[in-house]
Amino acid sequence: MTTTAEHNTGKWKNRQRPRALSVQKGEKAWISISDSTCGQKAMKTVTDVAESMGAKTAGILDIYGAKITAAGKRVDVTHPAAEVQYTVGIPASMKAPAGYQLAVIRVYGEDGIGKADLLKDMDSDPATVTFSSDKFGVYAFVYIKNV
C-alpha cells in the first residue's frame, strides 16, 4: 500500500475525531495514516499473526492520533476516548482474489502483552474496507477466505 495522509482539518461524521482525541476548545485533532514503518521483526510478527488466523497479508498501515494544543504543541494520544470508524480506499492491485475478502488485523500492546484482533469489513463496497477501532497502532490489511 502506498498511502500517506495527515488530517488536521475537515469535518468528521458525528465529530468522532475530536471526541476520540479528547480535544478541548482551542485545540485541534490530528490523525496520521501511513505505510507502516515498523521494522522487519515486527513485519514478520504481523505476517505470522495473519497466517495463524488463516489470512495472507496485503499491506500494513500505521494509524496514530494526537491533539495540537492552543500553544501549538503536539500531544500524542495512545488510547482514543471513543471508537473511530475508518473507510480506506483499496487500490485495484489489492482487490481480493476470488473466494477471499479483505479484512484488517489490528496489532497493539496492552499491559505489556502484544495482541491482535481480526476486524471484518463493515461495508459491502469492494473498493473500500471499513472498520472501527478504539486503538491506534499497526493495522494489517489481509485476505481471508469467504465464509
Side-chain angles (χ1 to χ4, degrees), residues 49-120:
V49 166
E51 288 175 1
S52 75
M53 295 180 168
K56 182 179 176 191
T57 305
I60 303 174
L61 293 177
D62 292 332
I63 302 177
Y64 291 101
K67 60 184 177 178
I68 310 301
T69 67
K73 181 179 177 189
R74 181 178 140 184
V75 178
D76 291 334
V77 175
T78 55
H79 298 319
E83 277 202 353
V84 177
Q85 181 174 310
Y86 302 93
T87 298
V88 180
I90 303 301
S93 62
M94 277 185 53
K95 297 288 186 226
Y100 288 82
Q101 61 184 319
L102 273 167
V104 176
I105 295 177
R106 170 179 62 190
V107 182
Y108 61 98
E110 193 169 86
D111 300 325
I113 299 170
K115 298 187 177 190
D117 299 321
L118 181 66
L119 308 173
K120 293 193 176 180

